[in-house]
Amino acid sequence: MQFPESWLREFCNPPLSTEQLAETLTMAGLEVEELKPVAPPFTHIVVGEIMDAVQHPNADRLRVCQVDVGQGALLTIVCGAPNARVGIKVPCALVGAELPPGEDGKPFLIKVGKLRGVESQGMLCSARELKLSEDHGGLLELAPDAPLGQDIRQHLQLDDTLFTLKLTPNLAHCLSVYGVAREVAALTGEPLKTPFIPEAVVGIFDKLAVKVSAPELCGRFSGRIVRNVNPQASTPAWMVDRLARCGQRSVTALVDISNYVMFELGRPSHIFDLDKIHGGLDVRWGRCGETLKLLNGNTVTVDEKVGVIADDVQVESLAGIMGGDATAVSNSTENIYVEAAFWWPKAIAGRSRRFNFSTDAGHRFERGVDAGQTVEHIERITQLIMAICGTPDTVCGPIDDLRVNLPKAVPVTLRVERAARVIGMPVTQAQCLDALKRLGLGVRVGAGTLTVTPPSYRFDLQIEEDLIEEVVRMLGYNQLPETPPLAPITARIRPEAQRSPFAVRRVLASLGYQETINFSFVEARWEHELAGNPNPIKLLNPIASQMSVMRSSLLGSLLQVLKFNLDRKAARVNVFELGRVFLRDAQSQNTDTTVAGFYQPMRVAGLAYGSKSSLDWSQSDKVVDFFDIKGDVEALLAPLKTVFAPAAHPAMHPGRCASVSVAGQLIGFVGELHPRWRQGYELAQAPLLFELELDAVLERQVPVFKAVSKLQPVERDIAVIVQESVTHAALMAAIHHADTQGLLKAATLFDVYRPQHANSTMQLGEKSLAVRLLLSSDVVTLTEESIEAAVHAVLKSLEAQFQARLRA
């Protein structure tokens, strides 16, 4: 972000030099990336007025000008600029003036000289010659009221410095000159001059119909109609100058006013040509196929993930990013609609990059803009419009303010003791209180705590660490003690064939589970009943009588969470936990991570209860069953091959429990809660549970390159009749063990048929399994003979193992 120092000091002017001010900002986290003078050094250049201009007698492109510089006598200056004419005021370099260095790096000294036989007593300057811009189309024309003879540096305020800040995303409230001034006031104790914004006089009561159809996109939408404006009014020189020093070129007066308020107060806004709006406005998500021509000339196609402002006919602008060409103000505009809104950052983030451009508005809105000042900022825009583009007939309508989904300010508590630990140096409650109050935050003092309710412009204050950061920013990062590390630090690099526990949490969260964190010490009854552990590890000094032993299973903790939620009328509970269990192990030795006699592995467990999914009109209210949680376990372990086999577990139903194995190693169990414990916990239905060794869950296969066959694969379907006792796993194993000469690549069961009555083809107790075989070779094109041979080999294997016969 770039801005001139003079503008900043209008809001807060501490007794610091430019370098000291930059250092203060940097040490508070607002890194000053660059300090750059507005203009290079030059001297003896003053305001002059051309009183007469005649053609040079010996040159077609030169004019002989008589220039008044406030010294009484006129100066004769020969000038070749095309806009040199009587009546304009321009920069005039006097004899002895020193202009900025040229390409050779040497300053240019003005002397009395002759041009084609006419003496010239100075030089009239362009902006390019003064190194103020690259414009070399003619002389730099000054304001008509510029005082004659005044030093041009003083008149144009060229003894100024451009600050370029490199702000982190959490400092979005500093993306304006006023926002930075607010920080300077907090850092230096100097008063902050808040701009007075009077309410505009309402002359009409017209309102534009606005509807916010997407509250998750737009939380607040404010707007006002202004009629009979002059769009051809010239932007004041002071505004053009400030915009230029912020890196923004002047466009038209109305556009410049909108940009000026954005840099001044941090509020991007938009001005519509009211007469080009068809009907009212609808703030909504885009629809697939809708197109919009933007102000930059690009035409984009939106979809349902991009927010738009549309009227009754077409899309008018990209929400929070850029306006559309269809309703852009022009020289023929008479009536306008001024809009200022609060867009939710997550709804704006990344949208402009989808279309390969970025805007100042999008940059601000995706980081967060104050939701509480839309009306005040519209009043400021209106004030400038009336002053610059107003006519005797200009009238304003009332502000229409739609508040549909504003952020809620949640109090955040700072513990002074913890702040001292995190900061790394002693801090007192008084220091913390003073720092937060200097930032303008409302603070409630407690015993060793400070509670802050963030104002609307400090949406980044959400957790205790945010307040600690504010405290250390106000104290100054340069005040932190330099504490060298006590020992060399070596990073532990995770193997490529292992994922992190956080990745496991994300997978379970994506499956609809919520994480719980429970005590490692539990009731002894849980260990006896749910873990089958008659000799749990007992605590010498338990914190409560019902927490007397260390857990050897996570299932008891999850059942307690389930019971807690059911007692509070929760109809659907899906929870998981990553935690440590504690087992006796005589072979365990003392190391830096283990304790002799005890084995403390990490496990992951989950519980599902109630309907499979939340209430939805498009889905049936199906109760979660064994196969649902079995699928969740497979998804958690993917892409590892998982094998389930009937098993017994003390916490699970004897006939609805399976062991989970990977690569021949038992890693856990999945199943339904035992009816006995379901009755004991007074549960209306049986919850489904799983518990797995975390180390096995963290394993993942490293991708290995495998070439794709360039030859055509072949599919063949077979249907075989087998006994009801034949399982899917056994059938697939027999198919893959068949001698197909490597042609069988995959087999998929796609149909199961059981007869209702015995017939000539099938008997009761039999079933028909239809399987699709995928055959392919990497070296030769399959022939009908090789295909038939492979299918025959599969049928032969099934016949040998299950006495299967081909279904007619």
Side-chain angles (χ1 to χ4, degrees), residues 527-572:
E527 286 298 300
H528 294 303
E529 296 176 352
L530 301 174
N533 182 13
N535 186 25
I537 301 169
K538 296 183 179 179
L539 294 170
L540 295 177
N541 187 24
I543 62 173
S545 59
Q546 70 273 21
M547 297 181 178
S548 58
V549 301
M550 301 300 292
R551 64 184 179 184
S552 63
S553 170
L554 305 180
L555 298 181
S557 301
L558 294 183
L559 285 171
Q560 182 190 36
V561 172
L562 171 65
K563 192 69 170 64
F564 180 88
N565 282 273
L566 292 179
D567 289 344
R568 284 151 184 80
K569 305 303 180 184
R572 179 174 174 268

Side-chain angles (χ1 to χ4, degrees), residues 390-409:
T391 69
D393 298 325
T394 303
V395 288
C396 300
I399 294 179
D400 187 16
D401 186 22
L402 299 180
R403 305 182 181 213
V404 292
N405 183 22
L406 292 178
K408 296 179 180 177

